[in-house]
Amino acid sequence: MKITRSSFLTLGLGAAAGLVFGTAPRSASAKEWKVIRVATEGAFPPYNMHAPDGRLIGFEPELLQELSARMNIKCEMIAQAWDGMIAGLTDGKYDAIMDAVSITPKRQEVIAFSTPYAAAPSGLAIMKDGAIKSLPGTGTRIQLADEVATKAAVEEMAKLLAGKTIGVQVATIQNDFLTKYLKDVVTIRTYSSGPDTFLDLKSGRVDAVMASAINLNASAKKSNGEMVASGYVFAGGLLGQGSAVGLRKGDPELKELFDKALKSVAEDGTLKRLALKWFEIDITPAL
């Protein structure tokens, strides 16, 4: 049954093109949360991006609006650069991160995560008329836990990627993948911003880009067919267990609040509806 809202959500612009979702404050069990400040990149469509008027829009800003209502706590979303975002969380600059942050063992050593709200594989994009004409396995998902299948897929793709340059956003799971599986085959060029990887792909400075399949598909669609997703897509292992809200380990009550709200939006179909709206496919994980 759809959970009704006790009050109407107001959506406004902050001083730094942020979003404020306001409801009456509520006390959490261990700490009173009147405002939750949530960082996002604002440059990772369709998860999050800036509208022409400066507003933060996308899947995660709309999801946070729903979570704010169900937690009955005002949430402020602010734009922050991806590089250093986790450090900013642990330093107390904000209280949470919603930026398609994948749950990985390495990150779990530093921060806590809510239950996941999205699960998408990672893959490669190339220019339709670029140096790489196509890659094998397009549309086939490989689980990294299957070492035999992973080895075969990587070796098959490596034959066409040898000597090429692949762009990837720094400090991402896709960068970890390239470093582990293809560092001796390709040149890895890192970028502080995801959109910059696609700009260099279009200009010919890199031969391919690796990113979330959702981000790849959105960028390919925006390119009017000039850019295409190609090759196997990979999931699991060092690519994580899905995207979740990043939190400080010292705020267990905040994790409880987010987990409860995420369960609510999943159970009543809101999470699926938002995924279909922004991704055109259902990438909601099993909760």
Side-chain angles (χ1 to χ4, degrees):
M1 181 173 64
K2 180 73 175 180
I3 296 176
T4 59
R5 303 185 186 189
S6 59
S7 60
F8 183 78
L9 282 176
T10 57
L11 175 60
L13 272 172
L19 297 181
V20 179
F21 307 110
T23 65
R26 169 196 168 189
S27 295
S29 56
K31 179 178 179 180
E32 183 178 357
W33 289 92
K34 294 184 177 180
V35 178
I36 301 172
R37 301 184 76 234
V38 182
T40 195
E41 191 175 354
F44 198 70
Y47 284 93
N48 57 79
M49 63 197 113
H50 281 97
D53 62 5
R55 289 181 302 119
L56 286 165
I57 61 172
F59 171 70
E60 286 166 324
E62 284 202 20
L63 176 57
L64 182 61
Q65 183 176 4
E66 288 285 347
L67 299 179
S68 175
R70 294 164 199 241
M71 293 187 291
N72 200 26
I73 300 173
K74 183 169 70 174
C75 293
E76 297 177 352
M77 181 165 265
I78 57 175
Q80 298 287 305
W82 165 250
D83 190 14
M85 189 178 288
I86 290 178
L89 173 66
T90 58
D91 288 344
K93 294 180 179 178
Y94 28 82
D95 308 304
I97 297 171
M98 289 182 71
D99 195 43
V101 184
S102 296
I103 305 169
T104 66
K106 184 177 179 181
R107 288 172 179 161
Q108 285 177 312
E109 293 176 3
V110 181
I111 62 174
F113 286 95
S114 71
T115 187
Y117 54 76
S122 296
L124 291 165
I126 58 175
M127 296 303 294
K128 186 177 180 180
D129 297 322
I132 303 172
K133 301 307 178 185
S134 67
L135 291 168
T138 300
T140 302
R141 182 181 298 216
I142 301 295
Q143 293 292 332
L144 295 185
D146 187 339
E147 295 181 1
V148 174
T150 300
K151 184 174 184 292
V154 169
E155 288 179 350
E156 192 177 357
M157 292 177 69
K159 294 175 182 178
L160 294 174
L161 293 172
K164 300 296 191 294
T165 300
I166 301 180
V168 66
Q169 189 171 11
V170 71
T172 59
I173 54 175
Q174 291 81 21
N175 190 18
D176 292 341
F177 177 94
L178 293 174
T179 301
K180 178 173 181 177
Y181 292 104
L182 291 167
K183 68 176 181 179
D184 296 326
V185 177
V186 304
T187 297
I188 303 170
R189 183 171 295 171
T190 58
Y191 297 79
S192 60
S193 164
D196 289 342
T197 64
F198 295 106
L199 287 175
D200 270 12
L201 176 60
K202 291 183 70 174
S203 67
R205 294 187 183 93
V206 298
D207 302 300
V209 164
M210 187 169 193
S212 162
I214 295 299
N215 193 232
L216 294 180
N217 291 339
S219 297
K221 185 176 181 179
K222 188 177 179 181
S223 75
N224 296 317
E226 293 181 358
M227 184 188 306
V228 294
S230 186
Y232 292 100
V233 293
F234 300 88
L238 58 73
L239 290 174
Q241 307 163 35
S243 300
V245 182
L247 303 158
R248 285 185 293 272
K249 289 188 174 184
D251 293 329
E253 73 289 337
L254 194 53
K255 171 177 166 54
E256 182 180 350
L257 287 167
F258 272 107
D259 284 350
K260 184 178 179 180
L262 284 166
K263 182 180 179 182
S264 172
V265 296
E267 289 180 342
D268 72 8
T270 300
L271 191 57
K272 180 179 180 179
R273 174 178 61 79
L274 291 176
L276 291 174
K277 173 182 177 179
W278 288 100
F279 305 128
E280 299 182 356
I281 59 171
D282 182 12
I283 63 164
T284 58
L287 298 179

